[in-house]
Amino acid sequence: MKTYCFAEQKIILTEEARIHPSDIGLTRGYGIFDFFRTVNYRPLFLEDYLDRFINSASHTHLPLSYSKKELTEIIGMLIDKNDLKQGGVRMVLSGGVSANHFSPAEGKLFIFCEDLLLPGEEKFRNGVKLITEEYVRPLPTIKTTNYSQAVFSSITWKEKNAEDVLYFHKGLISESSRSNIFIVQKGRLATPQSNILNGITRKNVLKLVPETEVRDITLEEVISADEVFMTSTTKRLLPVTQIDDHIIGNGKPGPLTLSVLENFKAEEAKSSN
Amino acid sequence: MKTYCFAEQKIILTEEARIHPSDIGLTRGYGIFDFFRTVNYRPLFLEDYLDRFINSASHTHLPLSYSKKELTEIIGMLIDKNDLKQGGVRMVLSGGVSANHFSPAEGKLFIFCEDLLLPGEEKFRNGVKLITEEYVRPLPTIKTTNYSQAVFSSITWKEKNAEDVLYFHKGLISESSRSNIFIVQKGRLATPQSNILNGITRKNVLKLVPETEVRDITLEEVISADEVFMTSTTKRLLPVTQIDDHIIGNGKPGPLTLSVLENFKAEEAKSSN
């Protein structure tokens, strides 16, 4: 089926989108993006995602020539044109073609509609494994396209049958490569406060469970937690049952994880009506 | 003037080169590159640059469908076509369009010819300033396109009238964002051994001055060194006369720096005849 995207300031066939390869988005890996889902044709938590995208552009000195209102209109048109009932929308802003091949310039904006790649049902039933890696994403609070280290490491995760990575630094955990992390200790949720992307799913879990502690969390605490889960746009809440060689809790998805996941799904359904 | 590049497996007008913006080279900043100069139509130290490029592709799991011999032929044709007597040649290999928008795929190869952006004569006369930053480039020995942190920081360098950055970690210096670093202590050269890209200019300086110590160097040693210089393809050897607020030596380019630079230029002239 033909899909359409927003590129060169208009809606065109996705296969016809192009960018010049001397854009520093490619030659220097300098750009920003964001990604959200549609539920029943509605962009879920759109306001939050657009605020973050606009903030990422501003922090990285990349001019974005569309307002939040204009972006909302373009996204609405794209969802219609692609009949995107349940899907993903990816916004990308490149660093631009720069005279010195280095400094931020005026980039290109692309908005793509994509099929969703959701975790299989068995991952929610059995939980997933993470492997630890000492690393802090540069500019962790900004949604840059800088995933070079994670893409490289992903070859190792796969060899070890892991879903993803758990980053830590100086003994404190931060996040996974594209997800936030929560732990459950004696019935109470906690999530790291530093060196993380402020995930929109994380934000909504914090709304659902406002008594969650937002604080520093050590690697030891995670390994000995009763439950661990990761949050992201495509994963919602995904139970983590193993970290390196350590089994979390009894090795099965925990009751609080599954209960918050049900509440999140109910919230999501409400938002899309 | 029209310039030509290698793209889509042939030589085409540079302005007509394109890549699909869902390539993870753009959306995940995953790719490799390399850059060398021509001197009197000859690619300087080509063998070294091609070896490094082929090694970068292999380490990052990116298939490169051209042999060293084929790349050499293409580069020769491009230099002819662009009449590139003194210029820069940039090879870029993208991460490819990946089904899961993340894993390395089969990327696109581009080879561009560019005007050289050489440091002005006054920088060789007066030396330049670096500012320190605690950072290690991910995969430092591989020439990835991961310069997101450096591009972002470059806004700050410019505000501080600095040429570039000096990276350090745990008290040891490594490199500048796109250059290697040498210090001179009591007539003897030293250069860091860890967390660095193995620069081709660095390699040739080591050939010219084989008694150079390749070892760990502390930030304190650099600041109190008699001379400091940086090496790169476009800079050759560029004197560093200030680091943050510290003046290096007597604040002027040092005699050993200038003498090795002259020897390097002589070597370069020899290689191009």
Side-chain angles (χ1 to χ4, degrees):
Chain A
M1 215 188 68
K2 294 280 184 201
T3 64
Y4 295 85
C5 73
F6 183 78
E8 293 164 61
Q9 289 134 56
K10 55 185 186 289
I11 291 179
I12 62 170
L13 279 169
T14 301
E15 66 192 25
E16 288 176 0
R18 66 178 74 163
I19 184 166
H20 197 278
S22 23
D23 193 292
I24 63 164
L26 183 78
T27 59
R28 299 296 185 179
Y30 197 73
I32 58 152
F33 82 114
D34 225 305
F35 183 83
F36 56 87
R37 283 191 289 132
T38 61
V39 180
N40 199 22
Y41 297 106
R42 292 220 189 173
L44 190 66
F45 311 130
L46 179 63
E47 185 96 357
D48 287 333
Y49 286 99
L50 289 180
D51 283 343
R52 186 169 67 183
F53 187 65
I54 289 165
N55 182 55
S56 295
S58 156
H59 266 80
T60 52
H61 308 277
L62 292 180
L64 177 61
S65 44
Y66 295 88
S67 67
K68 187 149 79 166
K69 187 161 168 288
E70 289 166 327
L71 290 173
T72 304
E73 283 168 8
I74 295 165
I75 289 161
M77 285 190 286
L78 271 181
I79 291 170
D80 277 357
K81 186 92 178 167
N82 287 298
D83 194 36
L84 198 71
K85 188 173 182 183
Q86 315 284 346
V89 179
R90 185 182 304 267
M91 304 180 283
V92 183
L93 181 63
S94 75
V97 174
S98 174
N100 68 357
H101 303 279
F102 201 75
S103 301
E106 189 164 345
K108 301 278 185 189
L109 173 68
F110 300 94
I111 308 178
F112 298 108
C113 290
E114 296 172 5
D115 288 334
L116 279 179
L117 298 168
L118 300 172
E121 204 36 63
E122 80 289 353
K123 291 188 180 171
F124 290 95
R125 220 166 33 232
N126 304 325
V128 298
K129 174 183 171 185
L130 299 180
I131 55 175
T132 55
E133 181 178 333
E134 179 136 32
Y135 183 66
V136 176
R137 284 192 310 109
L139 314 178
T141 61
I142 310 298
K143 205 160 169 80
T144 69
T145 55
N146 183 353
Y147 286 78
S148 174
Q149 173 73 14
V151 171
F152 181 77
S153 298
S154 71
I155 311 255
T156 311
W157 316 337
K158 274 169 206 163
E159 284 167 3
K160 295 187 177 177
N161 283 317
E163 176 73 13
D164 213 305
V165 74
L166 174 61
Y167 292 137
F168 70 96
H169 183 59
K170 294 183 180 168
L172 300 179
I173 64 144
S174 54
E175 59 188 0
S176 183
S177 78
R178 292 150 290 166
S179 305
N180 290 117
I181 299 288
F182 286 75
I183 66 170
V184 178
Q185 284 174 326
K186 295 180 182 160
R188 184 152 197 182
L189 264 63
T191 192
Q193 63 181 341
S194 301
N195 288 334
I196 61 160
L197 187 81
N198 288 303
I200 309 301
T201 307
R202 173 181 181 274
K203 179 179 171 181
N204 281 282
V205 168
L206 291 176
K207 267 191 200 166
L208 286 171
V209 191
E211 62 273 26
T212 302
E213 295 178 315
V214 180
R215 60 167 172 86
D216 288 346
I217 296 176
T218 65
L219 197 48
E220 286 72 28
E221 278 186 283
V222 184
I223 285 164
S224 60
D226 300 325
E227 305 176 28
V228 176
F229 63 89
M230 53 206 298
T231 61
S232 82
T233 298
T234 51
K235 293 181 176 71
R236 296 183 179 105
L237 287 76
L238 186 63
V240 176
T241 47
Q242 187 177 348
I243 294 175
D244 296 332
D245 294 331
H246 307 277
I247 301 299
I248 305 302
N250 63 1
K252 289 183 182 152
L256 198 50
T257 302
L258 298 177
S259 138
V260 180
L261 174 58
E262 285 318 305
N263 293 344
F264 182 86
K265 283 181 173 173
E267 198 58 39
E268 181 180 315
K270 230 193 293 172
S271 301
S272 66
N273 282 325
Chain B
M1 215 189 64
K2 295 279 185 201
T3 65
Y4 296 84
C5 72
F6 183 78
E8 295 163 58
Q9 288 132 56
K10 54 184 185 289
I11 291 180
I12 62 172
L13 279 169
T14 301
E15 65 192 24
E16 287 175 1
R18 66 179 73 164
I19 185 168
H20 197 277
S22 22
D23 193 294
I24 64 165
L26 183 78
T27 60
R28 300 294 184 180
Y30 197 73
I32 59 153
F33 82 112
D34 224 304
F35 183 84
F36 55 87
R37 283 190 290 132
T38 61
V39 180
N40 198 22
Y41 296 106
R42 291 221 190 171
L44 191 64
F45 312 129
L46 180 62
E47 185 95 358
D48 288 332
Y49 286 98
L50 288 181
D51 283 343
R52 186 169 66 183
F53 187 64
I54 289 166
N55 181 55
S56 295
S58 156
H59 267 79
T60 53
H61 308 277
L62 292 179
L64 178 61
S65 44
Y66 295 88
S67 67
K68 188 150 79 166
K69 186 162 167 286
E70 289 167 327
L71 290 172
T72 304
E73 283 168 11
I74 295 165
I75 288 161
M77 285 190 286
L78 271 180
I79 292 171
D80 278 356
K81 186 90 179 168
N82 287 297
D83 194 36
L84 197 71
K85 187 172 182 185
Q86 314 284 345
V89 179
R90 186 182 303 267
M91 305 180 280
V92 184
L93 180 63
S94 75
V97 173
S98 174
N100 68 358
H101 302 280
F102 201 74
S103 300
E106 189 163 345
K108 302 276 186 192
L109 173 68
F110 299 94
I111 308 178
F112 298 108
C113 290
E114 298 173 2
D115 287 333
L116 278 180
L117 299 166
L118 300 173
E121 204 38 61
E122 80 289 354
K123 291 188 180 170
F124 291 94
R125 219 166 34 234
N126 303 325
V128 298
K129 174 183 171 184
L130 298 181
I131 56 174
T132 56
E133 181 179 332
E134 180 138 30
Y135 183 65
V136 177
R137 282 192 311 109
L139 312 179
T141 61
I142 310 297
K143 204 160 169 82
T144 70
T145 55
N146 184 353
Y147 287 77
S148 174
Q149 173 72 15
V151 171
F152 181 77
S153 298
S154 71
I155 310 252
T156 312
W157 316 336
K158 275 170 205 164
E159 284 167 4
K160 295 187 177 176
N161 283 317
E163 175 73 12
D164 212 304
V165 74
L166 174 61
Y167 292 137
F168 70 96
H169 182 60
K170 295 185 179 166
L172 299 180
I173 64 145
S174 53
E175 58 188 0
S176 182
S177 78
R178 292 151 291 166
S179 305
N180 290 117
I181 298 289
F182 285 77
I183 66 171
V184 178
Q185 285 174 324
K186 296 182 182 157
R188 183 150 197 181
L189 264 64
T191 191
Q193 62 181 342
S194 302
N195 289 331
I196 61 160
L197 187 80
N198 287 302
I200 309 301
T201 307
R202 173 181 180 274
K203 179 181 171 180
N204 281 283
V205 169
L206 292 177
K207 268 191 201 167
L208 287 171
V209 191
E211 62 273 26
T212 302
E213 295 177 314
V214 179
R215 59 165 172 90
D216 288 345
I217 296 176
T218 65
L219 196 48
E220 285 71 28
E221 277 186 283
V222 184
I223 286 164
S224 61
D226 300 325
E227 305 177 28
V228 176
F229 62 89
M230 54 206 298
T231 60
S232 83
T233 298
T234 51
K235 293 181 177 72
R236 295 182 180 105
L237 286 77
L238 187 63
V240 176
T241 46
Q242 187 177 348
I243 294 174
D244 296 332
D245 293 332
H246 307 275
I247 300 298
I248 305 301
N250 64 1
K252 289 184 184 154
L256 199 49
T257 303
L258 298 177
S259 139
V260 181
L261 174 58
E262 285 317 304
N263 293 345
F264 182 86
K265 283 181 175 173
E267 198 59 38
E268 180 179 318
K270 231 192 292 172
S271 302
S272 66
N273 280 327

